[in-house]
Amino acid sequence: MSLTSLWRAATQHRLFWPVTALVALLVINVPFTPGFFEIHLKNGHLYGSLVSIVLFGSPLILVAIGMTLVIATGGIDLSVGAVVAISGALACLVVSKQGNEDAVGGVLLAFALALAAALVCGVWNGLLVARLGIQPIIATLILMVAGRGIAQLITSGQIITVNSGAYSLIGGGYWLALPFSLFVVALVVVLSMALTRRTALGLLVEAVGGNAEASRLVGIRSRRIKIMAYVFCGLCAGIAGLMISSNVSAADGNNAGLWIELDAILAVVIGGTSLTGGRFHLGGTIIGALIIQTLTTTIYTIGVPTQTNLVFKAVVVIVVCLMQSPAFRAKVFGARAQRRGPARKTPGVPADAPQQMEVSP
Amino acid sequence: MIDRRSFLTASAAASAAGMLAACAKKNPAKSAGSQTGSKQITLGFSQVGSESGWRAANTQSVKQAAAAAGIALKFSDAQQKQENQISAIRSYIAQKVDVISFSPVVVTGWDTVLKEAKAANIPVILTDRSVETSDPSLYVTLVGSDFEIEGERAAHLLEKVLAGHKGPVKIAQLEGTTGAAPAIERAKGFATIMHASHPEWKIIASQTGDFTRAGGKQVMAAFLQAHADIDVLFSHNDDMAIGAIQSIQAAGKTPGTDIKIVSVDGVHDGFVAMSKGQINAIVECNPLLGPQLMDAVKVVHAGKGSTLPRWIKTKESDYTADQAAAALPSRKY
């Protein structure tokens, strides 16, 4: 294989543009922070900008993975931010009521209750969408608005502070010198990839998202699949809520997870999943979430003035989205590509991620 | 089918409204009613919302002070929405309360409703935040903090904290929500003192942490990566400082020693951090303005509103780390 054909294969990989954007964003930091890629060992754990990006980006990755599956079924979940707030609030309330906040049993109880609440939220969304046929954007809007109220009710409008070493592990602690949240994210990613790509589940989700009625007629229980997607999304948001509250050892019903639903949807879109449902790309979503977190960190480290933060973010997001659009690339780079050779083939199937759709034995 | 769907949508919306109403009930209006004679003053108070611990303390102070002063309080929570505040003020006008007071959620857009109050001969007192009006006679006075002075006090506290320090001082600043009055004015006040008397001070990094712990933690983590030599952190509120402390510790430095921290607000957790020596000094921004408000209400009701200053500044103090442990038990918010 010649170098040019390798290059062409690479640029046609659907993760090429997101990964390029991520690398470019990381490299931009180097002139401003020469030691940006350095990672040191401090207090027995790894320390550096890249570690911070993973640590602070973990909740977004989780929420975005759940969001990907919901979007793949043709839905959307606006309530994840509220679920984040509810789960964090409930967990911190339970921990703060324990006599000994460090007790592992109490922390596990808090986790269980918080995740149960997140599960209920997911079931509620799923029932509204799949059973009652309410449009997803409206159905989840209800919990988006009301859920934050519930979180405030749990915290009585205050910030609940906890002093629990065990609780701070999941979102702010380290294990084997790495952020513990990294392991949680890895577990969820591996589980969801295995479930969707190694079993028929992924195919079923894509079928439901492509055409719910048709998939129902061929015998797929599309309602059940949809409910499962919302429940999974709620659970992911619940874990993210534990991480966010654990990261600062406090539950803030008003601000925890505020607007995270929009960041998550953006991450899904940057990752190459269409909002109309159907095919989805978990790997792309993870890259998308990392891009958003890197962008935030970049704004802080290169010293973008506060008032222009959002403009800077908007410009980067627009550029990333445009570069991903085949129509845009054809307009701008089209003339060159045509001169070079035959028309491009359909987007290449990645070699690394298992893409086959057949039902496993 | 359409009927069924719209019915279901409506019932879902109704249940959501019910949930919201349930949430709103956590701040029950403790209007004492008109149990005593016609002498009792009735105050209609519209609160911004219940967005923070500071605000909750503010609400409680107003309610307690009203009860203590024998003033009948009609309280409503606007849930951060101007239209809710305007309709609350209109209902107070309709109920013919004696005095109206509110914490304006935004700066502009109050002229019409304030003119209605004036036409009904009901005096208006602002609390906590100010408004921009075409006609200054639309409100009698403002009871609240001067955020710019708070910034200046923070700079003066930093002078104390840095006593004995020689050479240049590199400062990182955690700003409040972009565009919010406290963020703009605290930065301004701090910069005024810095430029006037401290050429050796330099703000090397400044970003918004949105007044939240998570924001403060994340921004400070990035600051510490980009600037190895930060001497001082000036945080626009305690919550951001508390978040930043965690990042400073993760970077292997000691907050309060390696990096001096000056913050604003004086919430309970801020005092806890200060008593541990992690925050060096706190500028108090006092939400407990109820008693001062009730004094103003009585003066206004007696028809002597013109004797009041246009701005009644809340009573506030400055605290350094050595006072923290002693002050901690008496902190109410």
Side-chain angles (χ1 to χ4, degrees):
Chain A
M1 212 190 229
S2 72
L3 217 63
T4 44
S5 63
L6 252 179
W7 168 250
R8 201 169 302 146
T11 52
Q12 283 178 1
H13 192 289
R14 61 182 167 71
L15 284 185
F16 176 77
W17 291 107
V19 170
T20 308
L22 180 59
V23 172
L25 266 176
L26 289 170
V27 170
I28 285 174
N29 280 283
V30 175
F32 296 92
T33 314
F36 188 77
F37 287 106
E38 283 171 24
I39 292 177
H40 310 281
L41 203 61
K42 231 166 219 169
N43 298 346
H45 62 79
L46 295 179
Y47 175 80
S49 291
L50 297 179
V51 180
S52 300
I53 289 173
V54 172
L55 182 62
F56 291 122
S58 298
L60 180 60
I61 296 177
L62 279 184
V63 173
I65 286 175
M67 186 71 79
T68 308
L69 290 183
V70 167
I71 286 177
T73 66
I76 200 152
D77 189 349
L78 296 182
S79 70
V80 285
V83 175
V84 162
I86 291 174
S87 131
L90 200 57
C92 284
L93 185 73
V94 173
V95 171
S96 69
K97 293 268 186 263
Q98 306 282 326
N100 172 16
E101 293 191 8
D102 272 320
V104 176
V107 171
L108 289 179
L109 175 72
F111 282 2
L113 284 176
L115 293 183
L119 198 83
V120 170
C121 292
V123 170
W124 162 264
N125 282 333
L127 288 180
L128 287 187
V129 172
R131 291 278 161 198
L132 303 186
I134 299 172
Q135 289 208 346
I137 201 164
I138 304 298
T140 56
L141 191 65
I142 296 170
L143 195 58
M144 175 188 175
V145 178
R148 207 156 276 286
I150 295 170
Q152 287 175 0
L153 199 63
I154 296 170
T155 63
S156 327
Q158 308 277 353
I159 296 175
I160 301 179
T161 308
V162 296
N163 300 299
S164 163
Y167 188 68
S168 70
L169 178 68
I170 185 171
Y174 296 85
W175 189 49
L176 304 177
L178 287 166
F180 187 78
S181 57
L182 191 63
F183 296 98
V184 179
V185 169
L187 184 71
V188 173
V189 167
V190 167
L191 263 180
S192 51
M193 287 225 177
L195 276 176
T196 56
R197 296 304 184 206
R198 292 289 168 198
T199 72
L201 209 55
L203 178 65
L204 299 185
V205 167
E206 292 184 338
V208 169
N211 188 333
E213 191 56 20
S215 58
R216 191 185 65 79
L217 290 175
V218 299
I220 299 172
R221 295 172 190 262
S222 62
R223 285 177 169 181
R224 192 177 288 178
I225 297 280
K226 276 191 183 176
I227 294 177
M228 279 169 68
Y230 283 94
V231 169
F232 179 71
C233 186
L235 267 183
C236 285
I239 302 173
L242 294 178
M243 277 185 185
I244 289 175
S245 60
S246 143
N247 187 270
V248 289
S249 287
D252 183 346
N254 301 290
N255 296 304
L258 196 61
W259 309 129
I260 200 171
E261 56 274 358
L262 300 184
D263 276 347
I265 294 168
L266 186 61
V268 173
V269 172
I270 290 177
T273 300
S274 160
L275 281 183
T276 51
R279 294 196 69 182
F280 64 95
H281 309 291
L282 289 173
T285 296
I286 295 168
I287 302 287
L290 285 174
I291 288 178
I292 293 172
Q293 187 57 43
T294 309
L295 183 55
T296 309
T297 304
T298 304
I299 284 174
Y300 299 150
T301 49
I302 72 176
V304 176
T306 319
Q307 294 82 356
T308 47
N309 273 2
L310 295 177
V311 176
F312 183 85
K313 265 191 172 177
V315 169
V316 172
V317 167
I318 289 170
V319 169
V320 172
C321 288
L322 284 180
M323 292 310 288
Q324 269 191 285
S325 148
F328 175 81
R329 288 206 306 273
K331 270 235 158 60
V332 178
F333 312 109
R336 260 174 50 210
Q338 269 168 14
R339 230 177 297 138
R340 217 186 278 149
R344 68 181 52 172
K345 288 172 283 182
T346 49
V349 176
D352 52 342
Q355 267 289 302
Q356 68 271 35
M357 300 277 177
E358 76 268 22
V359 180
S360 61
Chain B
M1 187 64 193
I2 289 165
D3 283 349
R4 177 167 160 256
R5 181 167 294 182
S6 56
F7 166 73
L8 291 169
T9 315
S11 58
S15 67
M19 282 164 132
L20 283 176
C23 300
K25 269 182 202 141
K26 70 175 180 275
N27 277 325
K30 273 201 191 129
S31 67
S34 52
Q35 75 276 41
T36 51
S38 58
K39 288 281 180 190
Q40 195 182 27
I41 306 170
T42 309
L43 169 69
F45 185 83
S46 169
Q47 179 62 285
V48 176
S50 48
E51 78 278 12
S52 63
W54 192 97
R55 188 65 63 192
N58 181 239
T59 299
Q60 212 183 357
S61 165
V62 169
K63 285 180 179 169
Q64 284 174 352
I71 292 173
L73 178 70
K74 290 181 187 297
F75 183 91
S76 75
D77 184 325
Q79 300 188 333
Q80 323 262 3
K81 290 196 179 69
Q82 186 176 27
E83 59 265 33
N84 290 354
Q85 270 195 318
I86 289 177
S87 64
I89 293 168
R90 289 214 166 108
S91 85
Y92 293 147
I93 295 172
Q95 295 170 44
K96 298 194 172 64
V97 300
D98 298 307
V99 182
I100 290 173
S101 175
F102 71 108
S103 264
V105 59
V106 291
V107 173
T108 52
W110 301 102
D111 277 17
T112 314
V113 71
L114 289 182
K115 275 177 190 156
E116 288 168 24
K118 195 184 178 187
N121 245 336
I122 301 175
V124 173
I125 300 175
L126 305 179
T127 63
D128 177 35
R129 308 177 183 185
S130 189
V131 297
E132 276 171 25
T133 58
S134 53
D135 178 0
S137 74
L138 290 179
Y139 68 90
V140 184
T141 180
L142 160 68
V143 183
S145 306
D146 185 334
F147 301 130
E148 196 172 337
I149 298 286
E150 284 172 2
E152 293 179 11
R153 283 159 55 202
H156 289 309
L157 274 179
L158 182 57
E159 289 169 351
K160 273 194 207 168
V161 168
L162 288 175
H165 184 280
K166 295 269 187 308
V169 178
K170 291 184 176 160
I171 302 170
Q173 179 173 238
L174 284 173
E175 302 168 35
T177 309
T178 310
I184 298 169
E185 290 174 20
R186 282 172 191 165
K188 199 162 112 190
F190 187 85
T192 309
I193 300 295
M194 184 176 78
H195 292 311
S197 44
H198 295 286
E200 78 279 13
W201 293 8
K202 188 164 182 261
I203 295 180
I204 55 169
S206 184
Q207 268 296 339
T208 174
D210 271 328
F211 283 136
T212 64
R213 292 186 192 193
K217 181 167 185 179
Q218 215 182 112
V219 174
M220 195 63 195
F223 280 176
L224 288 164
Q225 305 281 353
H227 310 277
D229 47 357
I230 296 171
D231 301 311
V232 169
L233 171 67
F234 169 42
S235 172
H236 286 185
N237 81 345
D238 289 340
D239 284 324
M240 291 192 292
I242 290 165
I245 285 169
Q246 297 173 354
S247 278
I248 294 170
Q249 286 169 333
K253 297 189 176 183
T254 312
T257 311
D258 296 332
I259 296 178
K260 310 278 186 203
I261 301 179
V262 175
S263 153
V264 187
D265 261 8
V267 298
H268 183 269
D269 284 348
F271 265 81
V272 171
M274 190 157 71
S275 66
K276 290 185 201 157
Q278 294 169 329
I279 294 180
N280 300 83
I282 289 179
V283 175
E284 185 187 36
C285 177
N286 191 357
L288 309 178
L289 47 74
Q292 282 172 298
L293 173 64
M294 297 311 149
D295 290 346
V297 167
K298 283 180 187 164
V299 172
V300 167
H301 185 63
K304 291 178 190 150
S306 55
T307 61
L308 287 172
R310 283 293 283 171
W311 188 349
I312 303 171
K313 291 183 182 170
T314 33
K315 292 171 188 137
E316 295 172 340
S317 329
D318 298 331
Y319 293 91
T320 47
D322 47 325
Q323 302 161 296
L328 186 56
S330 62
R331 300 307 292 174
K332 289 196 183 114
Y333 55 98

